[in-house]
Amino acid sequence: MDQTDPDVPAPLTSPPAHMTPDEFREHGRAVIDWIADYWERIESLPVAATVQPGDIRALLPDAAPEQPEPFENLLADLDRVVLPGVTHWQHPGWFAYFPANNSPPSVLADTVSAGLGLIGLLWSASPALTEVESHVLDWLVDLCALPEHWKTTSVGGGVLQGSASDATHVALVAARHRASTRSGQPVEQMVAYTSEQAHSSVEKGANIGGFGHVRLIEVDEHQAMRPDALAAAVASDLTAGLVPAFVGSTVGTTGTTAVDPVRAISEIAIEHNLWHHVDAAYAGTAMICGEFRHHNDGVELVDSYVFNPHKWMMVNFDCSAFYVAEREALTEALSIDPPYLRNAQSDAGSVIDYRNWQVPLGRRFRALKLWWVLRSYGATGIRQMVRHHVAMAQELAQQLNDDDRFEIVAPHPFSLVCFRCRATDEGEAGAQAADRATDAIAAAVNDSGVAYLTPSKLDGRSIIRVAVGQSRTDRGQLDLLWKAISEAAV
């Protein structure tokens, strides 16, 4: 047997060489310096990547290296390979989608989490991971004026999921389990409801969960779900012998940040035993400010709720806070207890095992970065940022209202503004011309390099979404955006 053949395993007498602690310190400082330098120069970079498909792969070798490379090569390739293909979500000119902010304490906490290398499948696997998470999520209940029974010290509780989509999928599984227990009917007979403006994760989660039917409920002139249309759909499905099982409402839809009437939807859900889940992925952070909490009216009646600190709270992805009103309704649907996951504390019910609150078995120490951000900025700092962004969005809305070339197409209760070019001629031809002009503005702004926003559609018409929420954005950046929009407009 040829022991020099790389495909033939040779007997190992020692593990591969690792960096020494001193080498790790040296390279770690270099990485932190690179990140700090990136943040300092990010405003000089074009917001959107300008590469073409395949350009980045062309910079990579055809095969993985057989021998180790010096760390300096790895760091150099951040500039040579990675940065040319980066669209800069942390750029102050980022107005696309929703924000996905990071911050220095969050990045450092994630570094510590990676260094600890914990897998929090059980309380006993690392008690600190579980208890910090439970406690910090209880903090958020108080900070955002959420219902007291959602605390882990009560009958409900919070858990950090990877995304709001994950949380919605888990809520659908819990809804399916509860409906099956109550009705004895197969999942193919079950119906999930949400609005036409809801995030696609609801429909995707229902498909993954095996729901036989998904109903997209009509919205009103404010793009919010119509309770009367929901009630009619539920009544129709009951008459057809189906099992209404789940309704998802939204506080701050992806398209326009519309707010569904949570209380009215809850009354229908309670009457018909539907699991009611609220998606506040973006807007939930705003509830740290008292003036926005009326948008959460009725959440004390719902079964589950999610918002993303990784959007607007300066906690880098992934960190999605998912709450349930009754944790047993969730854990009964997700718990499987093989002997290798049993221990005295779990069997006694004296601890939380978050493996029973999610689809994966393992989980990272996500709560560390949330904990550090809350302590580094305090509630005061986060409120200041939210109010700053909302004020800038309202200023932009006023500029658009004052310019007869544009029209705002939806309410803007938070920091997203949606607009389009105003049609100068009546009829279909005028609408099509306005759509072309709107699309041209979006393309021109995104090609300019100074800002990045999202072209979209509403009721079949072209619109532009401007999400003011990047933590580094100031009024100077907003002025650059307005200049780019105004110059691109016909």
Side-chain angles (χ1 to χ4, degrees), residues 296-315:
N296 260 353
D297 178 52
V299 296
E300 72 278 4
L301 303 175
V302 309
D303 296 283
S304 57
Y305 178 97
V306 65
F307 83 96
N308 291 343
H310 68 232
K311 277 191 168 67
W312 206 7
M313 202 176 269
M314 294 184 286
V315 182

PDB file of all heavy atoms in Angstrom, residues 296-315:
ATOM      1  N   ASN A 296     -49.385  47.317  19.218  1.00  0.00           N
ATOM      2  CA  ASN A 296     -49.422  45.968  19.775  1.00  0.00           C
ATOM      3  C   ASN A 296     -50.735  45.686  20.501  1.00  0.00           C
ATOM      4  O   ASN A 296     -50.830  44.689  21.226  1.00  0.00           O
ATOM      5  CB  ASN A 296     -48.263  45.769  20.762  1.00  0.00           C
ATOM      6  CG  ASN A 296     -47.090  45.020  20.142  1.00  0.00           C
ATOM      7  OD1 ASN A 296     -47.169  44.531  19.028  1.00  0.00           O
ATOM      8  ND2 ASN A 296     -45.997  44.917  20.887  1.00  0.00           N
ATOM      9  N   ASP A 297     -51.723  46.504  20.305  1.00  0.00           N
ATOM     10  CA  ASP A 297     -52.983  46.317  21.018  1.00  0.00           C
ATOM     11  C   ASP A 297     -53.554  44.923  20.748  1.00  0.00           C
ATOM     12  O   ASP A 297     -53.743  44.532  19.588  1.00  0.00           O
ATOM     13  CB  ASP A 297     -54.000  47.374  20.570  1.00  0.00           C
ATOM     14  CG  ASP A 297     -55.354  47.188  21.239  1.00  0.00           C
ATOM     15  OD1 ASP A 297     -55.397  47.095  22.476  1.00  0.00           O
ATOM     16  OD2 ASP A 297     -56.360  47.111  20.509  1.00  0.00           O
ATOM     17  N   GLY A 298     -53.812  44.186  21.808  1.00  0.00           N
ATOM     18  CA  GLY A 298     -54.399  42.864  21.683  1.00  0.00           C
ATOM     19  C   GLY A 298     -53.411  41.719  21.747  1.00  0.00           C
ATOM     20  O   GLY A 298     -53.825  40.554  21.746  1.00  0.00           O
ATOM     21  N   VAL A 299     -52.095  41.997  21.841  1.00  0.00           N
ATOM     22  CA  VAL A 299     -51.136  40.893  21.830  1.00  0.00           C
ATOM     23  C   VAL A 299     -51.234  40.012  23.079  1.00  0.00           C
ATOM     24  O   VAL A 299     -50.787  38.860  23.059  1.00  0.00           O
ATOM     25  CB  VAL A 299     -49.674  41.381  21.665  1.00  0.00           C
ATOM     26  CG1 VAL A 299     -49.471  42.043  20.318  1.00  0.00           C
ATOM     27  CG2 VAL A 299     -49.240  42.276  22.801  1.00  0.00           C
ATOM     28  N   GLU A 300     -51.851  40.539  24.143  1.00  0.00           N
ATOM     29  CA  GLU A 300     -52.002  39.705  25.337  1.00  0.00           C
ATOM     30  C   GLU A 300     -52.932  38.515  25.090  1.00  0.00           C
ATOM     31  O   GLU A 300     -52.984  37.575  25.897  1.00  0.00           O
ATOM     32  CB  GLU A 300     -52.527  40.548  26.507  1.00  0.00           C
ATOM     33  CG  GLU A 300     -53.975  40.983  26.415  1.00  0.00           C
ATOM     34  CD  GLU A 300     -54.215  42.223  25.559  1.00  0.00           C
ATOM     35  OE1 GLU A 300     -53.233  42.727  24.955  1.00  0.00           O
ATOM     36  OE2 GLU A 300     -55.377  42.685  25.505  1.00  0.00           O
ATOM     37  N   LEU A 301     -53.643  38.531  23.956  1.00  0.00           N
ATOM     38  CA  LEU A 301     -54.595  37.464  23.636  1.00  0.00           C
ATOM     39  C   LEU A 301     -54.006  36.405  22.702  1.00  0.00           C
ATOM     40  O   LEU A 301     -54.647  35.383  22.460  1.00  0.00           O
ATOM     41  CB  LEU A 301     -55.846  38.061  22.975  1.00  0.00           C
ATOM     42  CG  LEU A 301     -56.595  39.131  23.771  1.00  0.00           C
ATOM     43  CD1 LEU A 301     -57.726  39.719  22.938  1.00  0.00           C
ATOM     44  CD2 LEU A 301     -57.135  38.553  25.076  1.00  0.00           C
ATOM     45  N   VAL A 302     -52.815  36.629  22.174  1.00  0.00           N
ATOM     46  CA  VAL A 302     -52.300  35.736  21.134  1.00  0.00           C
ATOM     47  C   VAL A 302     -51.530  34.570  21.748  1.00  0.00           C
ATOM     48  O   VAL A 302     -51.169  34.575  22.927  1.00  0.00           O
ATOM     49  CB  VAL A 302     -51.411  36.500  20.127  1.00  0.00           C
ATOM     50  CG1 VAL A 302     -52.141  37.737  19.611  1.00  0.00           C
ATOM     51  CG2 VAL A 302     -50.053  36.879  20.715  1.00  0.00           C
ATOM     52  N   ASP A 303     -51.242  33.582  20.909  1.00  0.00           N
ATOM     53  CA  ASP A 303     -50.523  32.384  21.351  1.00  0.00           C
ATOM     54  C   ASP A 303     -49.018  32.523  21.207  1.00  0.00           C
ATOM     55  O   ASP A 303     -48.265  31.922  21.982  1.00  0.00           O
ATOM     56  CB  ASP A 303     -50.995  31.173  20.549  1.00  0.00           C
ATOM     57  CG  ASP A 303     -52.453  30.856  20.801  1.00  0.00           C
ATOM     58  OD1 ASP A 303     -52.759  30.284  21.857  1.00  0.00           O
ATOM     59  OD2 ASP A 303     -53.293  31.203  19.943  1.00  0.00           O
ATOM     60  N   SER A 304     -48.563  33.284  20.207  1.00  0.00           N
ATOM     61  CA  SER A 304     -47.119  33.437  20.007  1.00  0.00           C
ATOM     62  C   SER A 304     -46.835  34.750  19.288  1.00  0.00           C
ATOM     63  O   SER A 304     -47.716  35.333  18.644  1.00  0.00           O
ATOM     64  CB  SER A 304     -46.540  32.252  19.235  1.00  0.00           C
ATOM     65  OG  SER A 304     -47.174  32.075  17.990  1.00  0.00           O
ATOM     66  N   TYR A 305     -45.575  35.169  19.384  1.00  0.00           N
ATOM     67  CA  TYR A 305     -45.177  36.509  18.906  1.00  0.00           C
ATOM     68  C   TYR A 305     -43.688  36.449  18.629  1.00  0.00           C
ATOM     69  O   TYR A 305     -42.919  35.809  19.369  1.00  0.00           O
ATOM     70  CB  TYR A 305     -45.477  37.511  20.008  1.00  0.00           C
ATOM     71  CG  TYR A 305     -45.103  38.957  19.778  1.00  0.00           C
ATOM     72  CD1 TYR A 305     -46.046  39.878  19.323  1.00  0.00           C
ATOM     73  CD2 TYR A 305     -43.835  39.441  20.077  1.00  0.00           C
ATOM     74  CE1 TYR A 305     -45.728  41.231  19.162  1.00  0.00           C
ATOM     75  CE2 TYR A 305     -43.505  40.783  19.922  1.00  0.00           C
ATOM     76  CZ  TYR A 305     -44.457  41.675  19.463  1.00  0.00           C
ATOM     77  OH  TYR A 305     -44.137  43.015  19.320  1.00  0.00           O
ATOM     78  N   VAL A 306     -43.251  37.115  17.577  1.00  0.00           N
ATOM     79  CA  VAL A 306     -41.824  37.131  17.265  1.00  0.00           C
ATOM     80  C   VAL A 306     -41.400  38.525  16.831  1.00  0.00           C
ATOM     81  O   VAL A 306     -42.147  39.240  16.163  1.00  0.00           O
ATOM     82  CB  VAL A 306     -41.477  36.105  16.153  1.00  0.00           C
ATOM     83  CG1 VAL A 306     -42.132  36.459  14.829  1.00  0.00           C
ATOM     84  CG2 VAL A 306     -39.963  35.974  15.982  1.00  0.00           C
ATOM     85  N   PHE A 307     -40.198  38.929  17.273  1.00  0.00           N
ATOM     86  CA  PHE A 307     -39.546  40.093  16.674  1.00  0.00           C
ATOM     87  C   PHE A 307     -38.048  39.839  16.646  1.00  0.00           C
ATOM     88  O   PHE A 307     -37.520  38.998  17.366  1.00  0.00           O
ATOM     89  CB  PHE A 307     -39.912  41.394  17.386  1.00  0.00           C
ATOM     90  CG  PHE A 307     -39.114  41.719  18.617  1.00  0.00           C
ATOM     91  CD1 PHE A 307     -38.010  42.560  18.552  1.00  0.00           C
ATOM     92  CD2 PHE A 307     -39.472  41.207  19.858  1.00  0.00           C
ATOM     93  CE1 PHE A 307     -37.274  42.883  19.679  1.00  0.00           C
ATOM     94  CE2 PHE A 307     -38.752  41.527  21.000  1.00  0.00           C
ATOM     95  CZ  PHE A 307     -37.642  42.368  20.909  1.00  0.00           C
ATOM     96  N   ASN A 308     -37.367  40.595  15.769  1.00  0.00           N
ATOM     97  CA  ASN A 308     -35.956  40.337  15.490  1.00  0.00           C
ATOM     98  C   ASN A 308     -35.044  41.432  16.046  1.00  0.00           C
ATOM     99  O   ASN A 308     -34.917  42.498  15.418  1.00  0.00           O
ATOM    100  CB  ASN A 308     -35.716  40.241  13.986  1.00  0.00           C
ATOM    101  CG  ASN A 308     -36.317  39.014  13.363  1.00  0.00           C
ATOM    102  OD1 ASN A 308     -36.652  38.052  14.052  1.00  0.00           O
ATOM    103  ND2 ASN A 308     -36.458  39.023  12.043  1.00  0.00           N
ATOM    104  N   PRO A 309     -34.390  41.208  17.177  1.00  0.00           N
ATOM    105  CA  PRO A 309     -33.334  42.146  17.574  1.00  0.00           C
ATOM    106  C   PRO A 309     -32.232  42.266  16.524  1.00  0.00           C
ATOM    107  O   PRO A 309     -31.514  43.274  16.492  1.00  0.00           O
ATOM    108  CB  PRO A 309     -32.805  41.520  18.873  1.00  0.00           C
ATOM    109  CG  PRO A 309     -33.977  40.787  19.439  1.00  0.00           C
ATOM    110  CD  PRO A 309     -34.669  40.217  18.223  1.00  0.00           C
ATOM    111  N   HIS A 310     -32.115  41.276  15.647  1.00  0.00           N
ATOM    112  CA  HIS A 310     -31.079  41.370  14.605  1.00  0.00           C
ATOM    113  C   HIS A 310     -31.492  42.279  13.453  1.00  0.00           C
ATOM    114  O   HIS A 310     -30.722  42.445  12.502  1.00  0.00           O
ATOM    115  CB  HIS A 310     -30.674  39.983  14.080  1.00  0.00           C
ATOM    116  CG  HIS A 310     -31.701  39.231  13.300  1.00  0.00           C
ATOM    117  ND1 HIS A 310     -32.056  37.939  13.605  1.00  0.00           N
ATOM    118  CD2 HIS A 310     -32.441  39.547  12.211  1.00  0.00           C
ATOM    119  CE1 HIS A 310     -32.949  37.500  12.753  1.00  0.00           C
ATOM    120  NE2 HIS A 310     -33.211  38.475  11.892  1.00  0.00           N
ATOM    121  N   LYS A 311     -32.656  42.881  13.530  1.00  0.00           N
ATOM    122  CA  LYS A 311     -33.010  43.879  12.529  1.00  0.00           C
ATOM    123  C   LYS A 311     -32.709  45.296  13.031  1.00  0.00           C
ATOM    124  O   LYS A 311     -31.948  46.031  12.418  1.00  0.00           O
ATOM    125  CB  LYS A 311     -34.492  43.752  12.153  1.00  0.00           C
ATOM    126  CG  LYS A 311     -34.788  42.682  11.112  1.00  0.00           C
ATOM    127  CD  LYS A 311     -36.204  42.783  10.607  1.00  0.00           C
ATOM    128  CE  LYS A 311     -36.423  41.911   9.375  1.00  0.00           C
ATOM    129  NZ  LYS A 311     -36.337  40.480   9.652  1.00  0.00           N
ATOM    130  N   TRP A 312     -33.316  45.684  14.135  1.00  0.00           N
ATOM    131  CA  TRP A 312     -33.339  47.112  14.483  1.00  0.00           C
ATOM    132  C   TRP A 312     -32.815  47.366  15.899  1.00  0.00           C
ATOM    133  O   TRP A 312     -33.014  48.444  16.425  1.00  0.00           O
ATOM    134  CB  TRP A 312     -34.771  47.619  14.330  1.00  0.00           C
ATOM    135  CG  TRP A 312     -34.935  49.073  14.044  1.00  0.00           C
ATOM    136  CD1 TRP A 312     -33.968  50.000  13.772  1.00  0.00           C
ATOM    137  CD2 TRP A 312     -36.179  49.786  14.010  1.00  0.00           C
ATOM    138  NE1 TRP A 312     -34.522  51.240  13.565  1.00  0.00           N
ATOM    139  CE2 TRP A 312     -35.887  51.128  13.702  1.00  0.00           C
ATOM    140  CE3 TRP A 312     -37.505  49.428  14.197  1.00  0.00           C
ATOM    141  CZ2 TRP A 312     -36.875  52.099  13.596  1.00  0.00           C
ATOM    142  CZ3 TRP A 312     -38.481  50.392  14.079  1.00  0.00           C
ATOM    143  CH2 TRP A 312     -38.178  51.714  13.786  1.00  0.00           C
ATOM    144  N   MET A 313     -32.180  46.370  16.498  1.00  0.00           N
ATOM    145  CA  MET A 313     -31.696  46.540  17.867  1.00  0.00           C
ATOM    146  C   MET A 313     -30.179  46.423  17.961  1.00  0.00           C
ATOM    147  O   MET A 313     -29.630  46.234  19.049  1.00  0.00           O
ATOM    148  CB  MET A 313     -32.388  45.532  18.796  1.00  0.00           C
ATOM    149  CG  MET A 313     -32.386  45.930  20.262  1.00  0.00           C
ATOM    150  SD  MET A 313     -33.312  44.802  21.332  1.00  0.00           S
ATOM    151  CE  MET A 313     -34.934  45.581  21.302  1.00  0.00           C
ATOM    152  N   MET A 314     -29.508  46.453  16.801  1.00  0.00           N
ATOM    153  CA  MET A 314     -28.040  46.436  16.740  1.00  0.00           C
ATOM    154  C   MET A 314     -27.420  45.125  17.211  1.00  0.00           C
ATOM    155  O   MET A 314     -26.247  45.076  17.585  1.00  0.00           O
ATOM    156  CB  MET A 314     -27.447  47.621  17.510  1.00  0.00           C
ATOM    157  CG  MET A 314     -27.761  48.972  16.887  1.00  0.00           C
ATOM    158  SD  MET A 314     -26.985  50.375  17.720  1.00  0.00           S
ATOM    159  CE  MET A 314     -27.992  50.499  19.203  1.00  0.00           C
ATOM    160  N   VAL A 315     -28.193  44.058  17.182  1.00  0.00           N
ATOM    161  CA  VAL A 315     -27.683  42.721  17.476  1.00  0.00           C
ATOM    162  C   VAL A 315     -27.521  42.000  16.142  1.00  0.00           C
ATOM    163  O   VAL A 315     -28.492  41.817  15.420  1.00  0.00           O
ATOM    164  CB  VAL A 315     -28.644  41.933  18.385  1.00  0.00           C
ATOM    165  CG1 VAL A 315     -28.064  40.569  18.716  1.00  0.00           C
ATOM    166  CG2 VAL A 315     -28.937  42.721  19.654  1.00  0.00           C
TER     167      VAL A 315
END
